[in-house]
PDB file of all heavy atoms in Angstrom:
ATOM      1  N   ALA A  27      -7.505  -5.601  -1.034  1.00 97.00           N
ATOM      2  CA  ALA A  27      -6.567  -5.631   0.106  1.00 97.00           C
ATOM      3  C   ALA A  27      -5.442  -6.618  -0.136  1.00 97.00           C
ATOM      4  O   ALA A  27      -4.315  -6.303   0.215  1.00 97.00           O
ATOM      5  CB  ALA A  27      -7.354  -6.074   1.411  1.00 97.00           C
ATOM      6  N   PRO A  28      -5.681  -7.825  -0.728  1.00 97.00           N
ATOM      7  CA  PRO A  28      -4.539  -8.710  -1.032  1.00 97.00           C
ATOM      8  C   PRO A  28      -3.493  -8.103  -1.964  1.00 97.00           C
ATOM      9  O   PRO A  28      -2.282  -8.287  -1.827  1.00 97.00           O
ATOM     10  CB  PRO A  28      -5.230  -9.989  -1.613  1.00 97.00           C
ATOM     11  CG  PRO A  28      -6.575  -9.977  -1.020  1.00 97.00           C
ATOM     12  CD  PRO A  28      -6.950  -8.542  -0.902  1.00 97.00           C
ATOM     13  N   HIS A  29      -4.049  -7.358  -3.002  1.00 98.00           N
ATOM     14  CA  HIS A  29      -3.134  -6.752  -3.904  1.00 98.00           C
ATOM     15  C   HIS A  29      -2.310  -5.584  -3.286  1.00 98.00           C
ATOM     16  O   HIS A  29      -1.118  -5.456  -3.520  1.00 98.00           O
ATOM     17  CB  HIS A  29      -3.932  -6.182  -5.176  1.00 98.00           C
ATOM     18  CG  HIS A  29      -4.353  -7.252  -6.175  1.00 98.00           C
ATOM     19  ND1 HIS A  29      -5.506  -7.248  -6.743  1.00 98.00           N
ATOM     20  CD2 HIS A  29      -3.662  -8.369  -6.632  1.00 98.00           C
ATOM     21  CE1 HIS A  29      -5.554  -8.261  -7.598  1.00 98.00           C
ATOM     22  NE2 HIS A  29      -4.397  -8.971  -7.519  1.00 98.00           N
ATOM     23  N   LEU A  30      -3.001  -4.853  -2.438  1.00 98.00           N
ATOM     24  CA  LEU A  30      -2.298  -3.782  -1.753  1.00 98.00           C
ATOM     25  C   LEU A  30      -1.246  -4.336  -0.734  1.00 98.00           C
ATOM     26  O   LEU A  30      -0.162  -3.784  -0.579  1.00 98.00           O
ATOM     27  CB  LEU A  30      -3.257  -2.808  -0.987  1.00 98.00           C
ATOM     28  CG  LEU A  30      -4.223  -2.020  -1.896  1.00 98.00           C
ATOM     29  CD1 LEU A  30      -5.132  -1.171  -0.984  1.00 98.00           C
ATOM     30  CD2 LEU A  30      -3.431  -1.168  -2.802  1.00 98.00           C
ATOM     31  N   ARG A  31      -1.645  -5.416  -0.160  1.00 97.00           N
ATOM     32  CA  ARG A  31      -0.652  -6.143   0.756  1.00 97.00           C
ATOM     33  C   ARG A  31       0.556  -6.607  -0.013  1.00 97.00           C
ATOM     34  O   ARG A  31       1.732  -6.460   0.414  1.00 97.00           O
ATOM     35  CB  ARG A  31      -1.335  -7.318   1.450  1.00 97.00           C
ATOM     36  CG  ARG A  31      -0.400  -8.134   2.287  1.00 97.00           C
ATOM     37  CD  ARG A  31       0.260  -7.409   3.445  1.00 97.00           C
ATOM     38  NE  ARG A  31       1.234  -8.238   4.240  1.00 97.00           N
ATOM     39  CZ  ARG A  31       2.463  -8.292   3.887  1.00 97.00           C
ATOM     40  NH1 ARG A  31       2.983  -7.621   2.870  1.00 97.00           N
ATOM     41  NH2 ARG A  31       3.330  -9.090   4.664  1.00 97.00           N
ATOM     42  N   ALA A  32       0.329  -7.138  -1.210  1.00 98.00           N
ATOM     43  CA  ALA A  32       1.407  -7.581  -2.058  1.00 98.00           C
ATOM     44  C   ALA A  32       2.228  -6.514  -2.556  1.00 98.00           C
ATOM     45  O   ALA A  32       3.522  -6.589  -2.647  1.00 98.00           O
ATOM     46  CB  ALA A  32       0.816  -8.400  -3.220  1.00 98.00           C
ATOM     47  N   LEU A  33       1.575  -5.314  -2.932  1.00 98.00           N
ATOM     48  CA  LEU A  33       2.353  -4.139  -3.310  1.00 98.00           C
ATOM     49  C   LEU A  33       3.238  -3.616  -2.193  1.00 98.00           C
ATOM     50  O   LEU A  33       4.435  -3.200  -2.426  1.00 98.00           O
ATOM     51  CB  LEU A  33       1.375  -3.081  -3.815  1.00 98.00           C
ATOM     52  CG  LEU A  33       2.007  -1.796  -4.352  1.00 98.00           C
ATOM     53  CD1 LEU A  33       2.887  -2.065  -5.568  1.00 98.00           C
ATOM     54  CD2 LEU A  33       0.930  -0.833  -4.725  1.00 98.00           C
ATOM     55  N   ALA A  34       2.714  -3.624  -0.986  1.00 97.00           N
ATOM     56  CA  ALA A  34       3.540  -3.201   0.149  1.00 97.00           C
ATOM     57  C   ALA A  34       4.779  -4.031   0.291  1.00 97.00           C
ATOM     58  O   ALA A  34       5.865  -3.667   0.641  1.00 97.00           O
ATOM     59  CB  ALA A  34       2.648  -3.250   1.422  1.00 97.00           C
ATOM     60  N   GLU A  35       4.562  -5.369   0.158  1.00 96.00           N
ATOM     61  CA  GLU A  35       5.667  -6.332   0.284  1.00 96.00           C
ATOM     62  C   GLU A  35       6.720  -6.099  -0.790  1.00 96.00           C
ATOM     63  O   GLU A  35       7.910  -6.058  -0.591  1.00 96.00           O
ATOM     64  CB  GLU A  35       5.125  -7.785   0.211  1.00 96.00           C
ATOM     65  CG  GLU A  35       6.187  -8.830   0.349  1.00 96.00           C
ATOM     66  CD  GLU A  35       6.654  -9.013   1.737  1.00 96.00           C
ATOM     67  OE1 GLU A  35       5.905  -8.572   2.766  1.00 96.00           O
ATOM     68  OE2 GLU A  35       7.767  -9.500   2.014  1.00 96.00           O
ATOM     69  N   GLU A  36       6.263  -5.881  -2.031  1.00 96.00           N
ATOM     70  CA  GLU A  36       7.100  -5.703  -3.211  1.00 96.00           C
ATOM     71  C   GLU A  36       7.950  -4.395  -2.997  1.00 96.00           C
ATOM     72  O   GLU A  36       9.070  -4.371  -3.523  1.00 96.00           O
ATOM     73  CB  GLU A  36       6.272  -5.652  -4.434  1.00 96.00           C
ATOM     74  CG  GLU A  36       7.100  -5.800  -5.710  1.00 96.00           C
ATOM     75  CD  GLU A  36       7.727  -7.191  -5.862  1.00 96.00           C
ATOM     76  OE1 GLU A  36       7.389  -8.156  -5.133  1.00 96.00           O
ATOM     77  OE2 GLU A  36       8.632  -7.289  -6.716  1.00 96.00           O
ATOM     78  N   MET A  37       7.279  -3.360  -2.460  1.00 96.00           N
ATOM     79  CA  MET A  37       7.999  -2.103  -2.398  1.00 96.00           C
ATOM     80  C   MET A  37       8.651  -1.853  -1.062  1.00 96.00           C
ATOM     81  O   MET A  37       9.198  -0.786  -0.839  1.00 96.00           O
ATOM     82  CB  MET A  37       6.982  -0.909  -2.663  1.00 96.00           C
ATOM     83  CG  MET A  37       6.407  -0.957  -4.111  1.00 96.00           C
ATOM     84  SD  MET A  37       5.400   0.452  -4.467  1.00 96.00           S
ATOM     85  CE  MET A  37       6.730   1.684  -4.597  1.00 96.00           C
ATOM     86  N   ARG A  38       8.527  -2.868  -0.156  1.00 96.00           N
ATOM     87  CA  ARG A  38       9.136  -2.770   1.154  1.00 96.00           C
ATOM     88  C   ARG A  38       8.637  -1.498   1.902  1.00 96.00           C
ATOM     89  O   ARG A  38       9.317  -0.733   2.503  1.00 96.00           O
ATOM     90  CB  ARG A  38      10.651  -2.741   1.137  1.00 96.00           C
ATOM     91  CG  ARG A  38      11.273  -3.894   0.291  1.00 96.00           C
ATOM     92  CD  ARG A  38      10.783  -5.227   0.654  1.00 96.00           C
ATOM     93  NE  ARG A  38      11.034  -5.619   2.073  1.00 96.00           N
ATOM     94  CZ  ARG A  38      10.464  -6.615   2.725  1.00 96.00           C
ATOM     95  NH1 ARG A  38       9.552  -7.383   2.089  1.00 96.00           N
ATOM     96  NH2 ARG A  38      10.807  -6.909   4.009  1.00 96.00           N
ATOM     97  N   MET A  39       7.286  -1.356   1.805  1.00 96.00           N
ATOM     98  CA  MET A  39       6.571  -0.233   2.492  1.00 96.00           C
ATOM     99  C   MET A  39       5.541  -0.823   3.398  1.00 96.00           C
ATOM    100  O   MET A  39       5.156  -1.990   3.282  1.00 96.00           O
ATOM    101  CB  MET A  39       5.911   0.680   1.511  1.00 96.00           C
ATOM    102  CG  MET A  39       6.842   1.459   0.585  1.00 96.00           C
ATOM    103  SD  MET A  39       5.967   2.399  -0.725  1.00 96.00           S
ATOM    104  CE  MET A  39       4.928   3.410   0.299  1.00 96.00           C
ATOM    105  N   SER A  40       5.101   0.023   4.398  1.00 95.00           N
ATOM    106  CA  SER A  40       4.111  -0.456   5.293  1.00 95.00           C
ATOM    107  C   SER A  40       2.730  -0.362   4.663  1.00 95.00           C
ATOM    108  O   SER A  40       2.464   0.431   3.681  1.00 95.00           O
ATOM    109  CB  SER A  40       4.095   0.448   6.584  1.00 95.00           C
ATOM    110  OG  SER A  40       3.575   1.732   6.296  1.00 95.00           O
ATOM    111  N   MET A  41       1.831  -1.223   5.050  1.00 95.00           N
ATOM    112  CA  MET A  41       0.486  -1.180   4.525  1.00 95.00           C
ATOM    113  C   MET A  41      -0.244   0.142   4.812  1.00 95.00           C
ATOM    114  O   MET A  41      -0.986   0.613   3.960  1.00 95.00           O
ATOM    115  CB  MET A  41      -0.325  -2.371   5.120  1.00 95.00           C
ATOM    116  CG  MET A  41      -1.709  -2.510   4.522  1.00 95.00           C
ATOM    117  SD  MET A  41      -1.628  -3.226   2.836  1.00 95.00           S
ATOM    118  CE  MET A  41      -3.375  -3.413   2.544  1.00 95.00           C
ATOM    119  N   ALA A  42       0.123   0.772   5.906  1.00 95.00           N
ATOM    120  CA  ALA A  42      -0.460   1.979   6.222  1.00 95.00           C
ATOM    121  C   ALA A  42      -0.119   3.057   5.241  1.00 95.00           C
ATOM    122  O   ALA A  42      -0.979   3.912   4.813  1.00 95.00           O
ATOM    123  CB  ALA A  42      -0.037   2.402   7.622  1.00 95.00           C
ATOM    124  N   GLU A  43       1.076   3.114   4.812  1.00 96.00           N
ATOM    125  CA  GLU A  43       1.534   4.071   3.777  1.00 96.00           C
ATOM    126  C   GLU A  43       0.788   3.877   2.469  1.00 96.00           C
ATOM    127  O   GLU A  43       0.365   4.837   1.757  1.00 96.00           O
ATOM    128  CB  GLU A  43       3.049   3.977   3.523  1.00 96.00           C
ATOM    129  CG  GLU A  43       3.971   4.523   4.655  1.00 96.00           C
ATOM    130  CD  GLU A  43       5.479   4.280   4.364  1.00 96.00           C
ATOM    131  OE1 GLU A  43       5.931   3.210   4.408  1.00 96.00           O
ATOM    132  OE2 GLU A  43       6.069   5.297   3.902  1.00 96.00           O
ATOM    133  N   ILE A  44       0.685   2.629   2.056  1.00 97.00           N
ATOM    134  CA  ILE A  44       0.063   2.301   0.773  1.00 97.00           C
ATOM    135  C   ILE A  44      -1.465   2.692   0.883  1.00 97.00           C
ATOM    136  O   ILE A  44      -1.992   3.291   0.004  1.00 97.00           O
ATOM    137  CB  ILE A  44       0.095   0.734   0.503  1.00 97.00           C
ATOM    138  CG1 ILE A  44       1.571   0.286   0.356  1.00 97.00           C
ATOM    139  CG2 ILE A  44      -0.726   0.473  -0.660  1.00 97.00           C
ATOM    140  CD1 ILE A  44       2.244   0.590  -0.839  1.00 97.00           C
ATOM    141  N   TRP A  45      -2.070   2.406   1.980  1.00 97.00           N
ATOM    142  CA  TRP A  45      -3.449   2.601   2.205  1.00 97.00           C
ATOM    143  C   TRP A  45      -3.805   4.175   2.254  1.00 97.00           C
ATOM    144  O   TRP A  45      -4.817   4.590   1.642  1.00 97.00           O
ATOM    145  CB  TRP A  45      -4.017   1.959   3.460  1.00 97.00           C
ATOM    146  CG  TRP A  45      -5.535   2.007   3.571  1.00 97.00           C
ATOM    147  CD1 TRP A  45      -6.279   2.873   4.287  1.00 97.00           C
ATOM    148  CD2 TRP A  45      -6.499   1.091   2.968  1.00 97.00           C
ATOM    149  NE1 TRP A  45      -7.604   2.595   4.211  1.00 97.00           N
ATOM    150  CE2 TRP A  45      -7.679   1.500   3.357  1.00 97.00           C
ATOM    151  CE3 TRP A  45      -6.309  -0.035   2.090  1.00 97.00           C
ATOM    152  CZ2 TRP A  45      -8.927   0.812   2.940  1.00 97.00           C
ATOM    153  CZ3 TRP A  45      -7.410  -0.680   1.720  1.00 97.00           C
ATOM    154  CH2 TRP A  45      -8.692  -0.306   2.093  1.00 97.00           C
ATOM    155  N   GLU A  46      -2.929   4.951   2.820  1.00 97.00           N
ATOM    156  CA  GLU A  46      -3.252   6.308   2.964  1.00 97.00           C
ATOM    157  C   GLU A  46      -3.151   7.030   1.616  1.00 97.00           C
ATOM    158  O   GLU A  46      -3.902   7.969   1.326  1.00 97.00           O
ATOM    159  CB  GLU A  46      -2.304   7.052   3.972  1.00 97.00           C
ATOM    160  CG  GLU A  46      -0.870   7.286   3.481  1.00 97.00           C
ATOM    161  CD  GLU A  46      -0.070   8.074   4.481  1.00 97.00           C
ATOM    162  OE1 GLU A  46      -0.599   8.313   5.625  1.00 97.00           O
ATOM    163  OE2 GLU A  46       1.034   8.562   4.142  1.00 97.00           O
ATOM    164  N   VAL A  47      -2.233   6.564   0.726  1.00 98.00           N
ATOM    165  CA  VAL A  47      -2.242   7.084  -0.610  1.00 98.00           C
ATOM    166  C   VAL A  47      -3.413   6.670  -1.426  1.00 98.00           C
ATOM    167  O   VAL A  47      -3.982   7.428  -2.119  1.00 98.00           O
ATOM    168  CB  VAL A  47      -0.838   6.769  -1.233  1.00 98.00           C
ATOM    169  CG1 VAL A  47      -0.882   7.131  -2.766  1.00 98.00           C
ATOM    170  CG2 VAL A  47       0.294   7.442  -0.540  1.00 98.00           C
ATOM    171  N   ALA A  48      -3.654   5.369  -1.362  1.00 98.00           N
ATOM    172  CA  ALA A  48      -4.739   4.834  -2.164  1.00 98.00           C
ATOM    173  C   ALA A  48      -6.124   5.501  -1.815  1.00 98.00           C
ATOM    174  O   ALA A  48      -6.955   5.612  -2.706  1.00 98.00           O
ATOM    175  CB  ALA A  48      -4.833   3.340  -1.940  1.00 98.00           C
ATOM    176  N   THR A  49      -6.326   5.875  -0.551  1.00 98.00           N
ATOM    177  CA  THR A  49      -7.576   6.473  -0.150  1.00 98.00           C
ATOM    178  C   THR A  49      -7.669   7.958  -0.368  1.00 98.00           C
ATOM    179  O   THR A  49      -8.709   8.578  -0.217  1.00 98.00           O
ATOM    180  CB  THR A  49      -7.892   6.116   1.297  1.00 98.00           C
ATOM    181  OG1 THR A  49      -6.788   6.477   2.105  1.00 98.00           O
ATOM    182  CG2 THR A  49      -8.185   4.644   1.509  1.00 98.00           C
ATOM    183  N   PHE A  50      -6.493   8.637  -0.643  1.00 98.00           N
ATOM    184  CA  PHE A  50      -6.522  10.054  -0.830  1.00 98.00           C
ATOM    185  C   PHE A  50      -7.030  10.464  -2.210  1.00 98.00           C
ATOM    186  O   PHE A  50      -7.735  11.458  -2.360  1.00 98.00           O
ATOM    187  CB  PHE A  50      -5.072  10.564  -0.713  1.00 98.00           C
ATOM    188  CG  PHE A  50      -4.873  12.033  -0.867  1.00 98.00           C
ATOM    189  CD1 PHE A  50      -4.947  12.797   0.311  1.00 98.00           C
ATOM    190  CD2 PHE A  50      -4.618  12.650  -2.114  1.00 98.00           C
ATOM    191  CE1 PHE A  50      -4.875  14.210   0.207  1.00 98.00           C
ATOM    192  CE2 PHE A  50      -4.496  14.017  -2.190  1.00 98.00           C
ATOM    193  CZ  PHE A  50      -4.640  14.753  -1.010  1.00 98.00           C
ATOM    194  N   TYR A  51      -6.831   9.648  -3.174  1.00 98.00           N
ATOM    195  CA  TYR A  51      -7.179  10.036  -4.579  1.00 98.00           C
ATOM    196  C   TYR A  51      -8.493   9.404  -5.018  1.00 98.00           C
ATOM    197  O   TYR A  51      -8.741   8.306  -4.861  1.00 98.00           O
ATOM    198  CB  TYR A  51      -6.051   9.628  -5.557  1.00 98.00           C
ATOM    199  CG  TYR A  51      -4.727  10.289  -5.309  1.00 98.00           C
ATOM    200  CD1 TYR A  51      -3.726   9.701  -4.399  1.00 98.00           C
ATOM    201  CD2 TYR A  51      -4.410  11.564  -5.853  1.00 98.00           C
ATOM    202  CE1 TYR A  51      -2.623  10.370  -4.200  1.00 98.00           C
ATOM    203  CE2 TYR A  51      -3.244  12.181  -5.541  1.00 98.00           C
ATOM    204  CZ  TYR A  51      -2.297  11.628  -4.734  1.00 98.00           C
ATOM    205  OH  TYR A  51      -1.118  12.193  -4.462  1.00 98.00           O
TER     206      TYR A  51
END
């Protein structure tokens, strides 16, 4: 979760967008 939160910050995306892609594959 900390890495995904950092990725969201780095890409200026919402955590929800990151999480939905990460859980799809």
